């Protein structure tokens, strides 16, 4: 279950028990809809990763600053996790999701018509903020699931979310190579409109029992972080893992284009290798249901370090096979760590699930934004080996913290 003994000292104002009427479970079709919705929504914050080589020059950005194209979207996502997602503990969830996705559509259209870096980044920030609706959907599905199968349901929904993360890169690369980079965002806006219509029909309503004002919700966040060791630990693991993940996937398209002569279509094919990593999510959910969260977390962290070793070796040996293997291993490790962490924090306090989830993913994306912002500059200054070394440092930091958890668990 959770990684450390939990001391629940949340203020009485913020109840930890969920007093809502009992739910009727979640069907297989609903799980699939939740998974698809999460994947399509979260993909919007990853479309730009392999396109910075195209978008940067089009907007007049210096190569060393091109990482801002991705960073602003992810910072917006982090802001949405802190400011939007907590509302899922007090507002009807389906309506909140629909309004958020409508704002995503407007942001995508803003990106598509942008002719300057300022308008592009402002629109990207809007997309990031409201794409955080993904993290309303995940605990929404968890709420509908019975306790005995919650890890399985979360894992299956997360496999859709993570599939969106993985497939966003090849999709955007292929569309950009065929129709231009602006077409990526027009097409995504159309897909999001279709998704809104589907969710209006398919999602049940969920009215949380908490009767708190929005300022009270925001004031509760620091105390939740301070009094939840599992949240802090798991958030640090995922922040470091996601920083390494973004370092790899921001640096790899630049490396493949410069050293292997890959076109956007070639980069799209390479990024498909990482999509298989989403298959690790359901496995991680089942491991968590069996009480194997701690050892599975350690295995995921070690696998991530091994992935960066392979990536560095692939660069030095000019081996595409090593780079593909590194992509598969890293993506599977990051996804497994995330599902294990979510399963742990979802068991803590059902009535706080939206806020716990928002805080966890906000910390993770803060780490991701650091990785996104630093990778292009490191590559421009020091090359691929330095990029691999930077990613390794992030993951080793998580592994070092994990070692303190193992020591605490010993008699």
């Amino acid at each position: 279950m959770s990684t450390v003994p939990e001391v629940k000292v949340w203020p009485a104002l913020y109840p930890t028990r969920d007093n809502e009427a009992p739910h009727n479970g979640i069907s297989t079709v609903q799980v699939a809809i939740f998974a698809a919705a999460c994947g399509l929504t979260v993909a919007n914050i990853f479309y730009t990763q392999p396109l910075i080589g195209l978008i940067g020059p089009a907007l007049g950005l210096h190569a060393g600053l091109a990482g801002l194209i991705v960073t602003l979207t992810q910072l917006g996502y982090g802001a949405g996790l802190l400011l939007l997602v907590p509302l899922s503990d007090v507002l009807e969830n389906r309506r909140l999701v629909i309004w958020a996705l409508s704002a995503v559509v407007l942001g995508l259209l803003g990106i598509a018509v942008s002719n300057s870096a300022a308008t592009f980044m402002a629109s990207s920030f809007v997309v990031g903020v409201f794409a955080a609706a993904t993290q309303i959907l995940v605990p929404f599905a968890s709420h509908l699931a019975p306790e005995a199968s919650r890890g399985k349901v979360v894992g299956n929904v997360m496999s859709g979310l993570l599939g969106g993360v993985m497939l966003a890169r090849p999709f955007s690369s292929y569309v950009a190579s065929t129709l231009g980079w602006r077409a990526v965002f027009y097409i995504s806006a159309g897909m999001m409109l279709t998704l809104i219509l589907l969710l209006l029909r398919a999602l049940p309503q969920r009215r949380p029992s908490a009767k708190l004002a929005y300022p009270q919700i925001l004031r509760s966040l620091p105390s939740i972080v301070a009094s939840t060791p599992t949240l802090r630990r798991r958030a640090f693991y995922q922040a470091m893992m996601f920083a390494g993940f973004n370092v790899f996937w921001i640096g790899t398209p630049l490396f493949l284009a410069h050293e292997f002569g890959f076109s956007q279509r070639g980069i799209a094919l390479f990024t498909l290798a990482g999509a298989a990593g989403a298959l690790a999510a359901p496995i991680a959910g089942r491991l968590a249901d069996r009480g194997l969260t701690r050892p599975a977390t350690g295995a995921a962290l070690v696998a991530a370090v091994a992935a960066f070793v392979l990536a560095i070796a692939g660069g030095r040996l000019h081996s595409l096979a090593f780079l593909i293997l590194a992509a598969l291993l890293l993506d599977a490790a990051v996804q497994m760590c995330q599902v294990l962490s979510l399963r742990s924090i979802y068991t803590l306090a059902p009535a706080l699930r939206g806020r716990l989830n928002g805080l966890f993913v906000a910390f993770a994306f803060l780490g991701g934004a650091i990785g996104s912002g630093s990778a292009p500059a490191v590559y421009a200054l020091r090359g691929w080996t330095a990029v691999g070394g930077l990613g390794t440092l992030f993951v080793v930091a998580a592994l070092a913290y994990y070692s303190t958890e193992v020591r605490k668990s010993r008699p």
Side-chain angles (χ1 to χ4, degrees):
M1 293 293 183
S2 59
T3 58
V4 291
E6 202 65 46
V7 181
K8 295 184 180 178
V9 291
W10 290 297
L13 181 61
Y14 316 119
T16 62
R17 293 183 179 179
D18 193 345
N19 297 317
E20 298 173 44
H23 51 72
N24 296 318
I26 184 169
S27 69
T28 302
V29 172
Q30 284 179 316
V31 172
I33 291 172
F34 272 104
C38 286
L40 287 172
T41 303
V42 81
N44 291 299
I45 63 174
F46 292 96
Y47 287 142
T48 55
Q49 277 191 350
L51 303 182
I52 60 174
L54 298 176
I55 298 173
L59 300 178
L61 275 175
H62 184 272
L65 299 176
L68 292 174
I69 292 171
V70 178
T71 300
L72 262 293
T73 309
Q74 294 187 348
L75 288 176
Y77 194 73
L81 292 165
L82 294 176
L83 300 176
L84 176 69
V85 172
L87 286 173
S88 65
D89 286 338
V90 292
L91 298 182
E92 198 280 306
N93 283 190
R94 184 178 67 176
R95 181 179 298 177
L96 182 60
V97 168
I98 296 303
W99 280 109
L101 297 187
S102 300
V104 170
V105 172
L106 295 177
L108 289 168
L109 293 175
I111 290 174
V113 301
S114 293
N115 289 314
S116 70
T119 55
F120 183 97
M121 291 182 181
S123 299
S124 295
F125 189 80
V126 169
V127 169
V129 169
F130 292 100
T134 300
Q135 300 302 332
I136 299 172
L137 289 165
V138 177
F140 190 171
S142 174
H143 168 81
L144 296 174
E147 175 65 28
S149 61
R150 182 163 292 142
K152 178 182 176 181
V153 169
V154 170
N156 288 337
V157 172
M158 286 298 297
S159 68
L161 186 153
L162 301 171
V165 173
M166 304 306 172
L167 293 174
R169 295 185 297 264
F171 170 80
S172 63
S173 293
Y174 182 80
V175 172
S177 69
T178 306
L179 302 172
W181 65 265
R182 295 180 189 275
V184 174
F185 303 99
Y186 281 121
I187 292 172
S188 182
M191 291 192 295
M192 296 306 297
L193 282 172
T194 304
L195 176 62
I196 288 170
L197 296 176
L198 173 63
L199 295 182
L200 279 170
R201 294 180 60 87
L203 283 190
Q205 289 192 342
R206 186 216 165 198
R207 298 184 184 277
S209 61
K211 304 298 181 183
L212 301 179
Y214 186 59
Q216 291 176 311
I217 287 285
L218 295 182
R219 286 198 299 269
S220 73
L221 299 181
S223 63
I224 291 173
V225 174
S227 58
T228 316
T230 295
L231 173 63
R232 296 196 301 271
R233 178 176 288 276
R234 285 282 160 183
F236 182 79
Y237 292 164
Q238 200 61 28
M240 294 298 98
M241 289 284 270
F242 199 47
F245 175 90
N246 278 0
V247 164
F248 180 88
W249 283 110
I250 295 291
T252 301
L254 300 173
F255 182 61
L256 292 174
H258 293 163
E259 300 298 326
F260 287 82
F262 273 32
S263 65
Q264 283 299 130
R265 290 192 180 188
I267 292 170
L269 290 173
F270 178 88
T271 55
L272 276 174
L279 298 176
I283 297 171
R286 287 164 174 78
L287 290 173
D289 285 340
R290 295 176 184 175
L292 298 174
T293 294
R294 183 179 290 120
T297 299
L301 294 172
V302 171
V305 173
F308 277 108
V309 172
L310 283 170
I312 293 170
R316 290 182 173 178
L317 299 175
H318 206 71
S319 170
L320 187 60
F322 274 21
L323 291 172
I324 291 173
L325 184 57
L328 282 167
L329 192 58
L330 178 63
D331 284 12
V334 172
Q335 312 323 331
M336 178 169 284
C337 186
Q338 179 160 323
V339 172
L340 293 167
S341 295
L342 288 173
R343 178 64 171 84
S344 294
I345 66 171
Y346 285 171
T347 63
L348 299 178
L352 296 177
R353 196 168 284 150
R355 278 166 282 178
L356 288 167
N357 185 74
L359 288 164
F360 167 77
V361 184
F363 283 121
F365 269 80
L366 177 59
I370 293 170
S372 297
S374 58
V378 171
Y379 182 79
L381 293 173
R382 306 293 295 178
W384 176 251
T385 299
V387 169
L390 177 62
T392 305
L393 284 176
F394 283 128
V395 180
V396 167
L399 194 57
Y401 191 31
Y402 172 78
S403 69
T404 66
E405 178 181 351
V406 175
R407 287 198 298 270
K408 285 180 179 179
S409 70
R410 292 173 182 168

